[in-house]
Amino acid sequence: MRLHVVHETRYAYAPPVETAQHMAHLRPLERPAQQRLLGHALHITPEPVQRSESVDVYGNVRTFFALGSTHGELVVRAESLVETAAPPTFVPDTAPGTPWEAVRERFRYRKGVRDDPASEFVFPSPHVPLHDDFGAYARPSFAPGRPLFEAAMDLTLRMHRDFAYDADSTEVGTPAVQALAQRRGVCQDFAHILIGCCRAMGLPARYVSGYLLTQPPPGQPRLVGADASHAWAELYVPPAAGAPARAPGGWAGFDPTNGRQPGEDYVLLAVGRDFADVSPIRGVLHGGARHVLHVGVTVRPEDEENAG
């Protein structure tokens, strides 16, 4: 499936900003057999005096830009064309049917044993602290001997049943433990909770930012800018026992907001420990004590655009 994504962010400042430096994660990922980036452009107004791209430790392409003149508005418009496919099933070298405890044991510290790189995602992070409440909620899904995939999907479906999507119930800085307690939140909260639950069980889990193709009501046109960015979690599946030493593990996605695994209608933007690693835009400003933010996202199939 070919999807055209437009993500526009507008900041209106009062008083105006004198100088600013920003970091953006707005370039979709390349992932073999799952997602290809066919085109990407990032338009910034006013024109930055400095701009550069780099790859972070998680493989995300990030854009740094600096604004050196006074401005009352900042507009950042990212346009991307991606070709997506359903995530591949795990090959025999990976172990989705392995009991979850066996996977947990792989990430316990052992003197003289080299750590798996995914071990980083077992530890707490700024938005996902270790907390007993995550473990208490997760345990009913992780019965002794239960296969890893089965346990993770059960947790995902339980969250989908137990939690209400409520855009007014949390903010970006709302602690995940609070969203867990109130059983309400948005996709960012649910991704953080799922990650916290997996880490509480000793399993590596990471945050994924991206987009989801939403369908307009029957007979209604797709509204420009009416979509929003999305977030879900990925759980690490290590190589199967007896697999070659060079065999990599894999990351499997779980979306508690929609009670499913991601498919070809999902666009991967960036991955990290939690939202703090992949915020679409963050920055340091001189001036602009108050601001109004507007974000508009449109995800359309390419053939729909051509037909229109």
Side-chain angles (χ1 to χ4, degrees):
M1 179 182 292
R2 290 192 174 196
L3 298 174
H4 181 223
V5 181
V6 177
H7 184 159
E8 183 173 278
T9 305
R10 290 179 176 268
Y11 288 95
Y13 302 109
V17 170
E18 297 177 25
T19 60
Q21 295 183 339
H22 294 273
M23 186 71 75
H25 286 89
L26 290 168
R27 183 186 181 95
L29 286 167
E30 294 267 7
R31 184 171 286 186
Q34 187 177 347
Q35 179 168 294
R36 285 199 306 146
L37 182 60
L38 304 179
H40 176 75
L42 185 64
H43 307 281
I44 303 169
T45 305
E47 184 71 24
V49 294
Q50 184 181 352
R51 174 172 172 166
S52 62
E53 285 191 347
S54 61
V55 178
D56 69 16
V57 68
Y58 304 115
N60 307 306
V61 177
R62 58 191 180 183
T63 302
F64 167 82
F65 61 95
L67 304 171
S69 59
T70 301
H71 54 283
E73 183 179 60
L74 169 65
V75 180
V76 180
R77 180 183 175 90
E79 295 190 48
S80 305
L81 179 62
V82 296
E83 185 173 66
T84 63
T89 55
F90 285 92
V91 297
D93 285 346
T94 54
T98 301
W100 70 268
E101 299 98 328
V103 179
R104 177 192 62 193
E105 290 303 311
R106 180 185 179 91
F107 295 98
R108 289 189 186 276
Y109 172 76
R110 292 180 175 82
K111 184 178 179 180
V113 177
R114 185 177 180 180
D115 287 341
D116 189 301
S119 296
E120 175 180 4
F121 297 98
V122 175
F123 297 105
S125 55
H127 288 284
V128 188
L130 291 180
H131 197 284
D132 290 343
D133 289 357
F134 290 131
Y137 185 80
R139 286 189 193 97
S141 294
F142 289 85
R146 194 172 197 181
L148 176 65
F149 259 39
E150 185 179 313
M153 182 51 71
D154 183 77
L155 175 61
T156 300
L157 294 175
R158 282 177 51 220
M159 287 189 61
H160 184 59
R161 292 192 302 267
D162 294 349
F163 289 71
Y165 188 94
D166 183 352
D168 297 323
S169 63
T170 59
E171 299 178 348
V172 172
T174 299
V177 173
Q178 179 180 325
L180 172 65
Q182 66 190 28
R183 299 292 197 269
R184 309 182 77 83
V186 295
C187 56
Q188 174 184 307
D189 302 306
F190 302 157
H192 283 153
I193 292 168
L194 182 59
I195 292 167
C197 288
C198 291
R199 290 178 184 171
M201 305 309 293
L203 302 169
R206 67 185 185 183
Y207 185 95
V208 186
S209 67
Y211 309 103
L212 173 62
L213 175 65
T214 56
Q215 299 299 328
Q220 298 295 316
R222 193 181 304 278
L223 299 178
V224 174
D227 294 327
S229 56
H230 193 43
W232 59 98
E234 287 185 333
L235 180 66
Y236 183 70
V237 181
R246 66 181 184 281
W251 290 94
F254 297 90
D255 180 3
T257 303
N258 293 291
R260 54 172 287 196
Q261 288 193 277
E264 64 177 350
D265 49 343
Y266 284 64
V267 175
L268 287 77
L269 191 58
V271 299
R273 296 167 302 164
D274 59 33
F275 175 78
D277 289 332
V278 298
S279 174
I281 301 177
R282 64 177 184 268
V284 178
L285 313 178
H286 182 203
R290 299 179 303 279
H291 72 267
V292 176
L293 170 64
H294 174 75
V295 179
V297 176
T298 303
V299 184
R300 288 183 174 179
E302 185 186 35
D303 54 5
E304 180 183 292
E305 288 193 333
N306 294 335

